[in-house]
Amino acid sequence: MKRRQLVNIHRWLGLIAGAWLLTLGITGIFLDHDDWRWLRQAEVPENWLSPSMMRYLPATVMRYVAAHPADINQWIGGSERGLWITDNRGATWSKLAFPNGEHPQILRLAKLNIDSVPRIIIATDDGIWAMHGFDGPIKRLALGGDFINMISPGSDPHSIIGVKDFNQIFTIDLDAPNSIEMLNLDQPKVSGLPETITVYQFLFDLHFGYGLLSRKWSTLINDFGGLALIILSTTGLLTWYLKRRWKRRKSPPTDHRKSIIVSLYRGHAPVIGILGIIPILYLSVTGIMFNHFLTFMEWGEAREVRREQLPPVWRYESLQGEIDQVVTFPGEHERMLISTRYGVLVTDDGGASWSSEKALGSQRGQLFRSGDHVFYSTNSRQFFVRADSDSDWRSMTGLPSIVYDAEFTDAGLFVKNSRGFFRDSGQFAFTIDPLKHPNLEAATWYLVHDRRPHR
């Protein structure tokens, strides 16, 4: 096939796919940055969603909950979209306002009962806030301006433990919130990690910006892949349009026009076309796989790759950017659990060394504490709970999707997931409960773009 024929094929394929590639590049960058507040909070009409995406809408409304210890009718719940309260068991909800019109993303709640007064500690993308009692105002507590992806009750009754930007574990004494203790995790010793991981797990993290280097650099590489798609589609369309326009006008070529075409070509092929080939290639291949998710998952879960053959981020020479959640234990300052891409890791020496909690598997999940119990669940519908007094984890049944929060009340144990509220009917077997979250008749921009299979 002659070069001119190849150029024509490339041109027409590019023109046909150009608008779609531009859309993929823009939305891909958006999905890499779920920390951008406007994506999680700016709303679009519900009818913008396809029927297949409608089932994901409830998950964006309320993830984290707190029940009043003395009144089962009173609940507080929140998500990236805001914070709500009900005093009639979900029949109606009212929005809770932050001071000065602030509207942070709610990323986790920690529930403490100090001197018989419930305290709700709120982790957000703008530091930590607190409510003194269910009817108390929301006040800033600490770490203003920082992205706090996790908080949990601390090992002391008046303390909390949390994670800043997936990097640093900290503890705060609520009586002295300005005195913040940061845990040193520069050179941890991690043992018991699996020798192999599934191809599905690797490609999943690769596609969504966690699979090459650190969380920050992997995201930047994926961003560049999205930016490359935007530039390639834009410069290709502009080159075709300008040449066609000038040809129709039948005006003689000028040096200015030649310089425009040369600049567009250089930006299109020799620069972006070459630099962007690696991220574009792996994003395209994995994107096609996720469009056939069930087949890909079955294929990918059946194949494994050795951990030492993967990029450095999989070797865990550092825990920077790897800490999704953390919990600790009453009176045990040195003992902690963290949730990572390899599942749950445990330390008994304050973070100097970590080992895998093998009973929970090696998948990323949701780890949190409620009362004297610790919960862990994964997207593969594995649900675990363990009381502080127990040595073994127990399975939970009857739950259709990953659990984000739980509350022990006088009416029993409730858990919250994307489908709603579920109540324990005995022996950690759960059934759906009529308690409802706010019925928001709008979707977020992030949900419009999001096609992740785990959402």
Side-chain angles (χ1 to χ4, degrees), residues 217-232:
W217 284 105
S218 291
T219 299
L220 288 175
I221 292 171
N222 274 20
D223 283 351
F224 181 74
L227 182 63
L229 287 176
I230 295 171
I231 294 175
L232 288 172

Side-chain angles (χ1 to χ4, degrees), residues 170-191:
F170 62 83
T171 58
I172 296 178
D173 185 339
L174 296 182
D175 294 330
N178 293 325
S179 178
I180 302 171
E181 181 182 350
M182 293 289 182
L183 188 66
N184 184 357
L185 297 175
D186 290 342
Q187 293 181 322
K189 298 177 181 178
V190 183
S191 63

Side-chain angles (χ1 to χ4, degrees), residues 57-63 77-82 84 437-440 442:
L57 182 57
T60 71
V61 177
M62 187 169 288
R63 301 181 193 273
S79 70
E80 295 85 354
R81 300 180 70 171
W84 291 267
H437 51 58
N439 184 23
L440 302 186

Side-chain angles (χ1 to χ4, degrees), residues 231-249:
I231 294 175
L232 288 172
S233 56
T234 303
T235 54
L237 290 169
L238 280 175
T239 300
W240 171 81
Y241 170 74
L242 291 175
K243 284 184 175 181
R244 187 179 180 87
R245 180 184 179 188
W246 294 336
K247 185 176 181 180
R248 283 183 173 180
R249 289 185 175 183

Side-chain angles (χ1 to χ4, degrees), residues 221-416:
I221 292 171
N222 274 20
D223 283 351
F224 181 74
L227 182 63
L229 287 176
I230 295 171
I231 294 175
L232 288 172
S233 56
T234 303
T235 54
L237 290 169
L238 280 175
T239 300
W240 171 81
Y241 170 74
L242 291 175
K243 284 184 175 181
R244 187 179 180 87
R245 180 184 179 188
W246 294 336
K247 185 176 181 180
R248 283 183 173 180
R249 289 185 175 183
K250 297 181 180 180
S251 53
T254 65
D255 291 341
H256 177 63
R257 290 178 180 176
K258 287 181 180 179
S259 66
I260 291 176
I261 296 300
V262 169
S263 297
L264 289 173
Y265 171 77
R266 288 174 176 171
H268 181 83
V271 179
I272 297 299
I274 294 176
L275 294 178
I277 188 170
I278 293 178
I280 289 175
L281 182 61
Y282 74 69
L283 288 171
S284 301
V285 171
T286 53
I288 292 172
M289 290 178 172
F290 283 120
N291 279 337
H292 304 275
F293 173 62
L294 294 178
T295 301
F296 165 56
M297 184 175 182
E298 183 179 352
W299 174 85
E301 290 283 8
R303 288 160 175 80
E304 296 184 340
V305 59
R306 294 194 64 81
R307 188 161 52 87
E308 64 265 20
Q309 297 173 340
L310 296 176
V313 70
W314 294 88
R315 300 168 196 166
Y316 268 31
E317 297 171 355
S318 170
L319 291 177
Q320 293 290 314
E322 294 293 312
I323 309 169
D324 294 329
Q325 294 100 30
V326 62
V327 298
T328 188
F329 296 84
E332 299 184 63
H333 300 81
E334 301 290 298
R335 188 179 177 210
M336 290 172 282
L337 299 175
I338 59 173
S339 175
T340 73
R341 76 173 70 223
Y342 286 115
V344 174
L345 305 181
V346 58
T347 181
D348 292 312
D349 54 16
S353 62
W354 300 83
S355 60
S356 175
E357 191 80 346
K358 295 184 181 297
L360 302 181
S362 57
Q363 294 187 44
R364 194 187 297 273
Q366 288 289 323
L367 174 72
F368 60 89
R369 168 177 289 281
S370 181
D372 60 352
H373 285 65
V374 176
F375 295 79
Y376 186 68
S377 61
T378 69
N379 288 304
S380 59
R381 297 182 180 180
Q382 294 178 305
F383 309 99
F384 301 97
V385 60
R386 189 176 74 182
D388 291 339
S389 57
D390 293 341
S391 58
D392 296 323
W393 293 87
R394 299 181 62 180
S395 294
M396 299 186 291
T397 60
L399 297 168
S401 60
I402 192 169
V403 175
Y404 284 93
D405 212 343
E407 274 286 65
F408 287 92
T409 72
D410 291 341
L413 168 62
F414 290 77
V415 300
K416 180 70 180 70

